[in-house]
Amino acid sequence: MAAAARSQVMSLYRTMLRESAKFPSYNYRNYALRRVRDAFKANRNVEDPKAVERLMEEGWQTLALIQRQGESETSQQTSLN
Amino acid sequence: MLASGRTVSSRLLRPTAWLPLRLSSERTAASFPQKELIKKHEQDEPRPLYMDFQATTPMDPRVLDAMLPYQVNYYGNPHSRTHAYGWESESAMETARKQVADLIGADPREIIFTSGATESNNMAIKGVARFYKAKKRHVITTQTEHKCVLDSCRILESEGFDVTYLPVQNSGLLDLELLEASIRTDTSLVSVMTVNNEIGVKQPIKEIGQICRSKGVFFHTDAAQAVGKIPISISDWKIDLMSISGHKIYGPKGVGALYVRRRPRVRLEPIQNGGGQERGLRSGTVPTPLAVGLGAACSIAQEEMEYDHQRVSMLANRLVQKVMSEIPDVIMNGDPEQRYPGCINLSFAYVEGESLLMALKDVALSSGSACTSASLEPSYVLRAIGADEDLAHSSIRFGIGRFTTEEEVDYTAEKCIEQVHRLREMSPLWEMSQEGIDLKSINWTQH
């Protein structure tokens, strides 16, 4: 079961890194990349399918958040007037 | 009479009609490549690196994400009892209250939302002192507290209270025996901040709480710099009142909270009266989006505390090791062990603090707290820990936080080393000290 989900986990990981790299702000971008990498690394040995399910769900929600925030940062007016 | 009802006088009252106005309506989202603009802006005039996390912190994107719906769609007043707009706002506010309470180990009913830690400090100190003023006329605090605490105590003095400002040791820590000896039978409140915003020193709050509880005195702590960064338990530490600030923990500016113990009950005279919101202690509509932001910031801080603490400690060590190994005569102000690692205050001998700050213009730093940096006086906190006058003028505060990167720390360290060397080359005092002259023995004369 875990082996079958591995490709999904890797796909989520790659997508999250791709979306994190889109933050225009240097600090947010680096934080998102680092935090995603460290979170996946910390949970790499989780076996229990329920826990994996829950973590994946958190991952999808965080991905949505990253996409929303990346978008909203891009659409802000940045000139100070 | 001109057309469309406009009179001559109204034309004259619109002086801006002839100014070149910004025609922002011409630009649509499609014709304004924002991301490219931000990147270009950063290349042309790169903004300084942010290393001043004690002054304020950028909002965490997760906090902003939680707040936006309440700024845009769910805009009801949480105190409206009669319709869904009110109910949904109230529910969000109560969730936020629980998140704040969970971070410090309190009950949600003990959390009062305020406009920030300054308001919370004012409420706690003036409120408690005034409520118990019939029998208790004495308040104790320390000399290294934040200006709002010291100023509130000054106001109490003008109202006839006795205030003792306890000195601190050279490490910045309070002497517990001195505290115990200073408590009188008519002391109502002791106020000691958990983590100092200028030197990062962490006071022995658990022991202070124990002393205050045993003597029957209320204990207030300004935990603005500590909440969400170090584990806090109001029950273990026997804290009766605690101030929390939103914008120090990656939350929004303009919101904070005050923890007020219910068992045993702490009574306060409110300073803001009105409709009786927040248990009557702080009337006024609770700003739902800000409260939601504070709650989200607290809940994120609770999850990320260990990760952040490890990372901040690592980066702080990196910075201090690098700087201190390359430059002689650098002193770290405050106790080396009892501290929060993310706040580092260094004094560079024979270098003037303001000139070093200006030399490091592409790093955002501060010398002393934001509230006092406008004046030319050296910081009162450094004076209280017994720093020499000239060293107090040469101090810089480095702040490291959740979003700081290794590259930023390395750049700051290198720039700092380079500029200190350069400024020392120009300093006659440095020359003299290199020749072995003891500067303290010099008799400076007037010309």
PDB file of all heavy atoms in Angstrom, chain B residues 15-49:
ATOM      1  N   PRO B  15      -8.581  72.049  -6.177  1.00  0.00           N
ATOM      2  CA  PRO B  15      -7.276  72.462  -6.685  1.00  0.00           C
ATOM      3  C   PRO B  15      -6.519  71.333  -7.367  1.00  0.00           C
ATOM      4  O   PRO B  15      -5.584  71.550  -8.101  1.00  0.00           O
ATOM      5  CB  PRO B  15      -6.524  72.943  -5.446  1.00  0.00           C
ATOM      6  CG  PRO B  15      -7.176  72.239  -4.323  1.00  0.00           C
ATOM      7  CD  PRO B  15      -8.606  72.051  -4.701  1.00  0.00           C
ATOM      8  N   THR B  16      -6.890  70.096  -7.065  1.00  0.00           N
ATOM      9  CA  THR B  16      -6.142  68.977  -7.642  1.00  0.00           C
ATOM     10  C   THR B  16      -6.476  68.753  -9.105  1.00  0.00           C
ATOM     11  O   THR B  16      -5.881  67.913  -9.756  1.00  0.00           O
ATOM     12  CB  THR B  16      -6.453  67.687  -6.891  1.00  0.00           C
ATOM     13  OG1 THR B  16      -7.857  67.488  -6.890  1.00  0.00           O
ATOM     14  CG2 THR B  16      -5.965  67.775  -5.467  1.00  0.00           C
ATOM     15  N   ALA B  17      -7.452  69.480  -9.634  1.00  0.00           N
ATOM     16  CA  ALA B  17      -7.861  69.237 -11.014  1.00  0.00           C
ATOM     17  C   ALA B  17      -6.700  69.441 -11.984  1.00  0.00           C
ATOM     18  O   ALA B  17      -6.635  68.785 -13.014  1.00  0.00           O
ATOM     19  CB  ALA B  17      -9.011  70.163 -11.381  1.00  0.00           C
ATOM     20  N   TRP B  18      -5.748  70.331 -11.633  1.00  0.00           N
ATOM     21  CA  TRP B  18      -4.657  70.598 -12.567  1.00  0.00           C
ATOM     22  C   TRP B  18      -3.404  69.789 -12.272  1.00  0.00           C
ATOM     23  O   TRP B  18      -2.432  69.858 -13.000  1.00  0.00           O
ATOM     24  CB  TRP B  18      -4.315  72.088 -12.563  1.00  0.00           C
ATOM     25  CG  TRP B  18      -4.015  72.605 -11.181  1.00  0.00           C
ATOM     26  CD1 TRP B  18      -4.906  73.075 -10.269  1.00  0.00           C
ATOM     27  CD2 TRP B  18      -2.743  72.650 -10.552  1.00  0.00           C
ATOM     28  NE1 TRP B  18      -4.274  73.431  -9.115  1.00  0.00           N
ATOM     29  CE2 TRP B  18      -2.944  73.198  -9.237  1.00  0.00           C
ATOM     30  CE3 TRP B  18      -1.451  72.313 -10.939  1.00  0.00           C
ATOM     31  CZ2 TRP B  18      -1.893  73.399  -8.353  1.00  0.00           C
ATOM     32  CZ3 TRP B  18      -0.410  72.525 -10.038  1.00  0.00           C
ATOM     33  CH2 TRP B  18      -0.636  73.048  -8.755  1.00  0.00           C
ATOM     34  N   LEU B  19      -3.399  68.994 -11.195  1.00  0.00           N
ATOM     35  CA  LEU B  19      -2.208  68.200 -10.876  1.00  0.00           C
ATOM     36  C   LEU B  19      -2.160  66.951 -11.753  1.00  0.00           C
ATOM     37  O   LEU B  19      -3.194  66.383 -12.057  1.00  0.00           O
ATOM     38  CB  LEU B  19      -2.237  67.751  -9.418  1.00  0.00           C
ATOM     39  CG  LEU B  19      -1.877  68.804  -8.376  1.00  0.00           C
ATOM     40  CD1 LEU B  19      -2.114  68.233  -6.994  1.00  0.00           C
ATOM     41  CD2 LEU B  19      -0.433  69.240  -8.530  1.00  0.00           C
ATOM     42  N   PRO B  20      -0.954  66.536 -12.164  1.00  0.00           N
ATOM     43  CA  PRO B  20      -0.873  65.300 -12.963  1.00  0.00           C
ATOM     44  C   PRO B  20      -1.205  64.099 -12.086  1.00  0.00           C
ATOM     45  O   PRO B  20      -0.424  63.688 -11.258  1.00  0.00           O
ATOM     46  CB  PRO B  20       0.597  65.257 -13.417  1.00  0.00           C
ATOM     47  CG  PRO B  20       1.329  66.080 -12.425  1.00  0.00           C
ATOM     48  CD  PRO B  20       0.376  67.104 -11.899  1.00  0.00           C
ATOM     49  N   LEU B  21      -2.418  63.596 -12.252  1.00  0.00           N
ATOM     50  CA  LEU B  21      -2.837  62.478 -11.420  1.00  0.00           C
ATOM     51  C   LEU B  21      -2.357  61.181 -12.020  1.00  0.00           C
ATOM     52  O   LEU B  21      -2.176  61.061 -13.223  1.00  0.00           O
ATOM     53  CB  LEU B  21      -4.366  62.438 -11.306  1.00  0.00           C
ATOM     54  CG  LEU B  21      -4.988  63.622 -10.582  1.00  0.00           C
ATOM     55  CD1 LEU B  21      -6.486  63.563 -10.701  1.00  0.00           C
ATOM     56  CD2 LEU B  21      -4.589  63.608  -9.113  1.00  0.00           C
ATOM     57  N   ARG B  22      -2.173  60.179 -11.158  1.00  0.00           N
ATOM     58  CA  ARG B  22      -1.748  58.861 -11.613  1.00  0.00           C
ATOM     59  C   ARG B  22      -2.942  58.171 -12.259  1.00  0.00           C
ATOM     60  O   ARG B  22      -3.946  57.936 -11.618  1.00  0.00           O
ATOM     61  CB  ARG B  22      -1.256  58.066 -10.404  1.00  0.00           C
ATOM     62  CG  ARG B  22      -0.378  56.903 -10.739  1.00  0.00           C
ATOM     63  CD  ARG B  22       0.117  56.275  -9.443  1.00  0.00           C
ATOM     64  NE  ARG B  22       1.076  57.112  -8.774  1.00  0.00           N
ATOM     65  CZ  ARG B  22       2.386  57.096  -9.012  1.00  0.00           C
ATOM     66  NH1 ARG B  22       2.876  56.310  -9.922  1.00  0.00           N
ATOM     67  NH2 ARG B  22       3.207  57.888  -8.341  1.00  0.00           N
ATOM     68  N   LEU B  23      -2.839  57.876 -13.538  1.00  0.00           N
ATOM     69  CA  LEU B  23      -3.981  57.269 -14.217  1.00  0.00           C
ATOM     70  C   LEU B  23      -3.886  55.762 -14.081  1.00  0.00           C
ATOM     71  O   LEU B  23      -3.518  55.052 -15.013  1.00  0.00           O
ATOM     72  CB  LEU B  23      -4.003  57.677 -15.697  1.00  0.00           C
ATOM     73  CG  LEU B  23      -4.198  59.182 -15.903  1.00  0.00           C
ATOM     74  CD1 LEU B  23      -3.995  59.549 -17.358  1.00  0.00           C
ATOM     75  CD2 LEU B  23      -5.589  59.596 -15.445  1.00  0.00           C
ATOM     76  N   SER B  24      -4.213  55.287 -12.877  1.00  0.00           N
ATOM     77  CA  SER B  24      -4.037  53.857 -12.645  1.00  0.00           C
ATOM     78  C   SER B  24      -5.110  53.035 -13.344  1.00  0.00           C
ATOM     79  O   SER B  24      -4.975  51.848 -13.512  1.00  0.00           O
ATOM     80  CB  SER B  24      -4.080  53.567 -11.149  1.00  0.00           C
ATOM     81  OG  SER B  24      -5.261  54.095 -10.609  1.00  0.00           O
ATOM     82  N   SER B  25      -6.202  53.683 -13.762  1.00  0.00           N
ATOM     83  CA  SER B  25      -7.261  52.905 -14.381  1.00  0.00           C
ATOM     84  C   SER B  25      -6.851  52.405 -15.758  1.00  0.00           C
ATOM     85  O   SER B  25      -7.387  51.442 -16.264  1.00  0.00           O
ATOM     86  CB  SER B  25      -8.532  53.737 -14.488  1.00  0.00           C
ATOM     87  OG  SER B  25      -8.224  54.935 -15.164  1.00  0.00           O
ATOM     88  N   GLU B  26      -5.838  53.049 -16.353  1.00  0.00           N
ATOM     89  CA  GLU B  26      -5.421  52.607 -17.686  1.00  0.00           C
ATOM     90  C   GLU B  26      -4.772  51.244 -17.644  1.00  0.00           C
ATOM     91  O   GLU B  26      -4.823  50.486 -18.577  1.00  0.00           O
ATOM     92  CB  GLU B  26      -4.392  53.591 -18.268  1.00  0.00           C
ATOM     93  CG  GLU B  26      -5.015  54.767 -18.977  1.00  0.00           C
ATOM     94  CD  GLU B  26      -3.940  55.630 -19.604  1.00  0.00           C
ATOM     95  OE1 GLU B  26      -2.993  55.074 -20.181  1.00  0.00           O
ATOM     96  OE2 GLU B  26      -4.052  56.854 -19.494  1.00  0.00           O
ATOM     97  N   ARG B  27      -4.093  50.974 -16.507  1.00  0.00           N
ATOM     98  CA  ARG B  27      -3.366  49.708 -16.447  1.00  0.00           C
ATOM     99  C   ARG B  27      -4.290  48.618 -15.977  1.00  0.00           C
ATOM    100  O   ARG B  27      -4.875  48.714 -14.918  1.00  0.00           O
ATOM    101  CB  ARG B  27      -2.207  49.830 -15.464  1.00  0.00           C
ATOM    102  CG  ARG B  27      -1.157  50.774 -15.959  1.00  0.00           C
ATOM    103  CD  ARG B  27      -0.228  51.097 -14.832  1.00  0.00           C
ATOM    104  NE  ARG B  27       0.972  51.725 -15.342  1.00  0.00           N
ATOM    105  CZ  ARG B  27       1.839  52.376 -14.612  1.00  0.00           C
ATOM    106  NH1 ARG B  27       1.632  52.488 -13.338  1.00  0.00           N
ATOM    107  NH2 ARG B  27       2.896  52.921 -15.140  1.00  0.00           N
ATOM    108  N   THR B  28      -4.383  47.579 -16.725  1.00  0.00           N
ATOM    109  CA  THR B  28      -5.169  46.434 -16.278  1.00  0.00           C
ATOM    110  C   THR B  28      -4.212  45.387 -15.734  1.00  0.00           C
ATOM    111  O   THR B  28      -3.008  45.486 -15.913  1.00  0.00           O
ATOM    112  CB  THR B  28      -5.957  45.819 -17.435  1.00  0.00           C
ATOM    113  OG1 THR B  28      -4.995  45.393 -18.412  1.00  0.00           O
ATOM    114  CG2 THR B  28      -6.890  46.844 -18.049  1.00  0.00           C
ATOM    115  N   ALA B  29      -4.775  44.372 -15.127  1.00  0.00           N
ATOM    116  CA  ALA B  29      -3.941  43.315 -14.555  1.00  0.00           C
ATOM    117  C   ALA B  29      -3.043  42.695 -15.609  1.00  0.00           C
ATOM    118  O   ALA B  29      -1.884  42.395 -15.361  1.00  0.00           O
ATOM    119  CB  ALA B  29      -4.831  42.250 -13.916  1.00  0.00           C
ATOM    120  N   ALA B  30      -3.569  42.534 -16.811  1.00  0.00           N
ATOM    121  CA  ALA B  30      -2.807  41.859 -17.860  1.00  0.00           C
ATOM    122  C   ALA B  30      -1.616  42.694 -18.301  1.00  0.00           C
ATOM    123  O   ALA B  30      -0.557  42.160 -18.599  1.00  0.00           O
ATOM    124  CB  ALA B  30      -3.714  41.573 -19.046  1.00  0.00           C
ATOM    125  N   SER B  31      -1.774  44.036 -18.331  1.00  0.00           N
ATOM    126  CA  SER B  31      -0.700  44.864 -18.854  1.00  0.00           C
ATOM    127  C   SER B  31       0.296  45.247 -17.759  1.00  0.00           C
ATOM    128  O   SER B  31       1.141  46.085 -17.974  1.00  0.00           O
ATOM    129  CB  SER B  31      -1.279  46.122 -19.498  1.00  0.00           C
ATOM    130  OG  SER B  31      -1.873  46.914 -18.494  1.00  0.00           O
ATOM    131  N   PHE B  32       0.163  44.664 -16.554  1.00  0.00           N
ATOM    132  CA  PHE B  32       1.052  45.042 -15.454  1.00  0.00           C
ATOM    133  C   PHE B  32       1.740  43.791 -14.926  1.00  0.00           C
ATOM    134  O   PHE B  32       1.264  43.182 -13.991  1.00  0.00           O
ATOM    135  CB  PHE B  32       0.240  45.713 -14.339  1.00  0.00           C
ATOM    136  CG  PHE B  32       1.039  46.723 -13.568  1.00  0.00           C
ATOM    137  CD1 PHE B  32       0.983  48.060 -13.885  1.00  0.00           C
ATOM    138  CD2 PHE B  32       1.868  46.312 -12.538  1.00  0.00           C
ATOM    139  CE1 PHE B  32       1.726  48.990 -13.180  1.00  0.00           C
ATOM    140  CE2 PHE B  32       2.606  47.242 -11.822  1.00  0.00           C
ATOM    141  CZ  PHE B  32       2.530  48.581 -12.148  1.00  0.00           C
ATOM    142  N   PRO B  33       2.839  43.418 -15.553  1.00  0.00           N
ATOM    143  CA  PRO B  33       3.506  42.166 -15.146  1.00  0.00           C
ATOM    144  C   PRO B  33       4.146  42.326 -13.770  1.00  0.00           C
ATOM    145  O   PRO B  33       5.294  42.707 -13.644  1.00  0.00           O
ATOM    146  CB  PRO B  33       4.553  41.954 -16.244  1.00  0.00           C
ATOM    147  CG  PRO B  33       4.799  43.291 -16.826  1.00  0.00           C
ATOM    148  CD  PRO B  33       3.566  44.107 -16.620  1.00  0.00           C
ATOM    149  N   GLN B  34       3.367  42.006 -12.749  1.00  0.00           N
ATOM    150  CA  GLN B  34       3.773  42.282 -11.364  1.00  0.00           C
ATOM    151  C   GLN B  34       5.028  41.546 -10.939  1.00  0.00           C
ATOM    152  O   GLN B  34       5.908  42.095 -10.321  1.00  0.00           O
ATOM    153  CB  GLN B  34       2.633  41.895 -10.406  1.00  0.00           C
ATOM    154  CG  GLN B  34       1.390  42.718 -10.566  1.00  0.00           C
ATOM    155  CD  GLN B  34       1.555  44.113 -10.028  1.00  0.00           C
ATOM    156  OE1 GLN B  34       2.563  44.433  -9.421  1.00  0.00           O
ATOM    157  NE2 GLN B  34       0.573  44.941 -10.252  1.00  0.00           N
ATOM    158  N   LYS B  35       5.045  40.259 -11.285  1.00  0.00           N
ATOM    159  CA  LYS B  35       6.163  39.454 -10.788  1.00  0.00           C
ATOM    160  C   LYS B  35       7.469  39.981 -11.352  1.00  0.00           C
ATOM    161  O   LYS B  35       8.468  40.066 -10.656  1.00  0.00           O
ATOM    162  CB  LYS B  35       5.964  37.990 -11.201  1.00  0.00           C
ATOM    163  CG  LYS B  35       6.652  37.035 -10.232  1.00  0.00           C
ATOM    164  CD  LYS B  35       6.733  35.649 -10.753  1.00  0.00           C
ATOM    165  CE  LYS B  35       5.350  35.053 -10.964  1.00  0.00           C
ATOM    166  NZ  LYS B  35       5.437  33.586 -11.136  1.00  0.00           N
ATOM    167  N   GLU B  36       7.424  40.346 -12.648  1.00  0.00           N
ATOM    168  CA  GLU B  36       8.641  40.876 -13.282  1.00  0.00           C
ATOM    169  C   GLU B  36       9.027  42.182 -12.612  1.00  0.00           C
ATOM    170  O   GLU B  36      10.190  42.467 -12.400  1.00  0.00           O
ATOM    171  CB  GLU B  36       8.417  41.125 -14.785  1.00  0.00           C
ATOM    172  CG  GLU B  36       7.773  39.955 -15.517  1.00  0.00           C
ATOM    173  CD  GLU B  36       8.384  38.623 -15.146  1.00  0.00           C
ATOM    174  OE1 GLU B  36       9.620  38.529 -15.045  1.00  0.00           O
ATOM    175  OE2 GLU B  36       7.611  37.667 -14.908  1.00  0.00           O
ATOM    176  N   LEU B  37       7.993  42.978 -12.265  1.00  0.00           N
ATOM    177  CA  LEU B  37       8.257  44.265 -11.642  1.00  0.00           C
ATOM    178  C   LEU B  37       8.921  44.111 -10.291  1.00  0.00           C
ATOM    179  O   LEU B  37       9.870  44.811  -9.963  1.00  0.00           O
ATOM    180  CB  LEU B  37       6.952  45.046 -11.474  1.00  0.00           C
ATOM    181  CG  LEU B  37       7.200  46.517 -11.092  1.00  0.00           C
ATOM    182  CD1 LEU B  37       7.612  47.294 -12.307  1.00  0.00           C
ATOM    183  CD2 LEU B  37       5.963  47.118 -10.487  1.00  0.00           C
ATOM    184  N   ILE B  38       8.413  43.151  -9.516  1.00  0.00           N
ATOM    185  CA  ILE B  38       9.007  42.942  -8.193  1.00  0.00           C
ATOM    186  C   ILE B  38      10.459  42.532  -8.346  1.00  0.00           C
ATOM    187  O   ILE B  38      11.340  43.054  -7.684  1.00  0.00           O
ATOM    188  CB  ILE B  38       8.254  41.850  -7.397  1.00  0.00           C
ATOM    189  CG1 ILE B  38       6.810  42.261  -7.180  1.00  0.00           C
ATOM    190  CG2 ILE B  38       8.933  41.606  -6.061  1.00  0.00           C
ATOM    191  CD1 ILE B  38       5.974  41.172  -6.569  1.00  0.00           C
ATOM    192  N   LYS B  39      10.697  41.608  -9.284  1.00  0.00           N
ATOM    193  CA  LYS B  39      12.072  41.127  -9.461  1.00  0.00           C
ATOM    194  C   LYS B  39      12.972  42.250  -9.956  1.00  0.00           C
ATOM    195  O   LYS B  39      14.082  42.419  -9.489  1.00  0.00           O
ATOM    196  CB  LYS B  39      12.103  39.958 -10.458  1.00  0.00           C
ATOM    197  CG  LYS B  39      11.541  38.681  -9.884  1.00  0.00           C
ATOM    198  CD  LYS B  39      12.127  37.429 -10.498  1.00  0.00           C
ATOM    199  CE  LYS B  39      11.627  36.211  -9.743  1.00  0.00           C
ATOM    200  NZ  LYS B  39      11.048  35.205 -10.631  1.00  0.00           N
ATOM    201  N   LYS B  40      12.442  43.057 -10.901  1.00  0.00           N
ATOM    202  CA  LYS B  40      13.242  44.158 -11.458  1.00  0.00           C
ATOM    203  C   LYS B  40      13.537  45.172 -10.365  1.00  0.00           C
ATOM    204  O   LYS B  40      14.661  45.630 -10.200  1.00  0.00           O
ATOM    205  CB  LYS B  40      12.467  44.807 -12.598  1.00  0.00           C
ATOM    206  CG  LYS B  40      13.165  45.987 -13.248  1.00  0.00           C
ATOM    207  CD  LYS B  40      12.319  46.538 -14.397  1.00  0.00           C
ATOM    208  CE  LYS B  40      12.937  47.745 -15.052  1.00  0.00           C
ATOM    209  NZ  LYS B  40      13.123  48.870 -14.153  1.00  0.00           N
ATOM    210  N   HIS B  41      12.491  45.495  -9.584  1.00  0.00           N
ATOM    211  CA  HIS B  41      12.636  46.433  -8.469  1.00  0.00           C
ATOM    212  C   HIS B  41      13.731  45.970  -7.536  1.00  0.00           C
ATOM    213  O   HIS B  41      14.556  46.732  -7.074  1.00  0.00           O
ATOM    214  CB  HIS B  41      11.298  46.486  -7.731  1.00  0.00           C
ATOM    215  CG  HIS B  41      11.009  47.796  -7.101  1.00  0.00           C
ATOM    216  ND1 HIS B  41      10.889  48.958  -7.811  1.00  0.00           N
ATOM    217  CD2 HIS B  41      10.821  48.133  -5.816  1.00  0.00           C
ATOM    218  CE1 HIS B  41      10.634  49.946  -6.982  1.00  0.00           C
ATOM    219  NE2 HIS B  41      10.586  49.487  -5.764  1.00  0.00           N
ATOM    220  N   GLU B  42      13.710  44.663  -7.286  1.00  0.00           N
ATOM    221  CA  GLU B  42      14.713  44.115  -6.362  1.00  0.00           C
ATOM    222  C   GLU B  42      16.096  44.178  -6.962  1.00  0.00           C
ATOM    223  O   GLU B  42      17.079  44.304  -6.258  1.00  0.00           O
ATOM    224  CB  GLU B  42      14.352  42.674  -5.972  1.00  0.00           C
ATOM    225  CG  GLU B  42      13.346  42.657  -4.841  1.00  0.00           C
ATOM    226  CD  GLU B  42      13.035  41.288  -4.288  1.00  0.00           C
ATOM    227  OE1 GLU B  42      13.378  40.283  -4.936  1.00  0.00           O
ATOM    228  OE2 GLU B  42      12.429  41.233  -3.210  1.00  0.00           O
ATOM    229  N   GLN B  43      16.199  44.076  -8.305  1.00  0.00           N
ATOM    230  CA  GLN B  43      17.528  44.151  -8.907  1.00  0.00           C
ATOM    231  C   GLN B  43      18.052  45.581  -8.918  1.00  0.00           C
ATOM    232  O   GLN B  43      19.210  45.825  -8.639  1.00  0.00           O
ATOM    233  CB  GLN B  43      17.507  43.642 -10.357  1.00  0.00           C
ATOM    234  CG  GLN B  43      17.588  42.140 -10.446  1.00  0.00           C
ATOM    235  CD  GLN B  43      17.012  41.630 -11.743  1.00  0.00           C
ATOM    236  OE1 GLN B  43      16.876  42.388 -12.708  1.00  0.00           O
ATOM    237  NE2 GLN B  43      16.656  40.373 -11.785  1.00  0.00           N
ATOM    238  N   ASP B  44      17.147  46.542  -9.271  1.00  0.00           N
ATOM    239  CA  ASP B  44      17.589  47.937  -9.369  1.00  0.00           C
ATOM    240  C   ASP B  44      17.977  48.492  -8.014  1.00  0.00           C
ATOM    241  O   ASP B  44      19.052  49.005  -7.822  1.00  0.00           O
ATOM    242  CB  ASP B  44      16.470  48.823  -9.937  1.00  0.00           C
ATOM    243  CG  ASP B  44      16.240  48.556 -11.414  1.00  0.00           C
ATOM    244  OD1 ASP B  44      17.091  47.851 -11.988  1.00  0.00           O
ATOM    245  OD2 ASP B  44      15.249  49.039 -11.947  1.00  0.00           O
ATOM    246  N   GLU B  45      17.016  48.460  -7.058  1.00  0.00           N
ATOM    247  CA  GLU B  45      17.385  48.912  -5.715  1.00  0.00           C
ATOM    248  C   GLU B  45      16.987  47.798  -4.773  1.00  0.00           C
ATOM    249  O   GLU B  45      15.866  47.800  -4.272  1.00  0.00           O
ATOM    250  CB  GLU B  45      16.606  50.133  -5.269  1.00  0.00           C
ATOM    251  CG  GLU B  45      16.206  51.111  -6.315  1.00  0.00           C
ATOM    252  CD  GLU B  45      15.000  51.922  -5.798  1.00  0.00           C
ATOM    253  OE1 GLU B  45      14.503  51.644  -4.702  1.00  0.00           O
ATOM    254  OE2 GLU B  45      14.608  52.813  -6.551  1.00  0.00           O
ATOM    255  N   PRO B  46      17.890  46.863  -4.571  1.00  0.00           N
ATOM    256  CA  PRO B  46      17.509  45.745  -3.704  1.00  0.00           C
ATOM    257  C   PRO B  46      17.151  46.248  -2.317  1.00  0.00           C
ATOM    258  O   PRO B  46      17.826  47.110  -1.780  1.00  0.00           O
ATOM    259  CB  PRO B  46      18.763  44.872  -3.662  1.00  0.00           C
ATOM    260  CG  PRO B  46      19.859  45.710  -4.196  1.00  0.00           C
ATOM    261  CD  PRO B  46      19.266  46.741  -5.055  1.00  0.00           C
ATOM    262  N   ARG B  47      16.075  45.731  -1.759  1.00  0.00           N
ATOM    263  CA  ARG B  47      15.696  46.150  -0.420  1.00  0.00           C
ATOM    264  C   ARG B  47      16.661  45.507   0.565  1.00  0.00           C
ATOM    265  O   ARG B  47      17.205  44.449   0.306  1.00  0.00           O
ATOM    266  CB  ARG B  47      14.268  45.706  -0.142  1.00  0.00           C
ATOM    267  CG  ARG B  47      13.280  46.476  -1.002  1.00  0.00           C
ATOM    268  CD  ARG B  47      11.882  46.025  -0.776  1.00  0.00           C
ATOM    269  NE  ARG B  47      11.407  46.434   0.531  1.00  0.00           N
ATOM    270  CZ  ARG B  47      10.569  45.718   1.247  1.00  0.00           C
ATOM    271  NH1 ARG B  47      10.136  44.577   0.808  1.00  0.00           N
ATOM    272  NH2 ARG B  47      10.166  46.162   2.418  1.00  0.00           N
ATOM    273  N   PRO B  48      16.890  46.183   1.695  1.00  0.00           N
ATOM    274  CA  PRO B  48      17.846  45.620   2.660  1.00  0.00           C
ATOM    275  C   PRO B  48      17.389  44.255   3.173  1.00  0.00           C
ATOM    276  O   PRO B  48      16.212  43.937   3.174  1.00  0.00           O
ATOM    277  CB  PRO B  48      17.859  46.635   3.796  1.00  0.00           C
ATOM    278  CG  PRO B  48      17.028  47.768   3.385  1.00  0.00           C
ATOM    279  CD  PRO B  48      16.309  47.443   2.142  1.00  0.00           C
ATOM    280  N   LEU B  49      18.358  43.462   3.640  1.00  0.00           N
ATOM    281  CA  LEU B  49      18.030  42.196   4.288  1.00  0.00           C
ATOM    282  C   LEU B  49      17.369  42.521   5.611  1.00  0.00           C
ATOM    283  O   LEU B  49      17.811  43.426   6.316  1.00  0.00           O
ATOM    284  CB  LEU B  49      19.306  41.395   4.594  1.00  0.00           C
ATOM    285  CG  LEU B  49      20.244  41.107   3.453  1.00  0.00           C
ATOM    286  CD1 LEU B  49      21.405  40.277   3.973  1.00  0.00           C
ATOM    287  CD2 LEU B  49      19.534  40.358   2.361  1.00  0.00           C
TER     288      LEU B  49
END
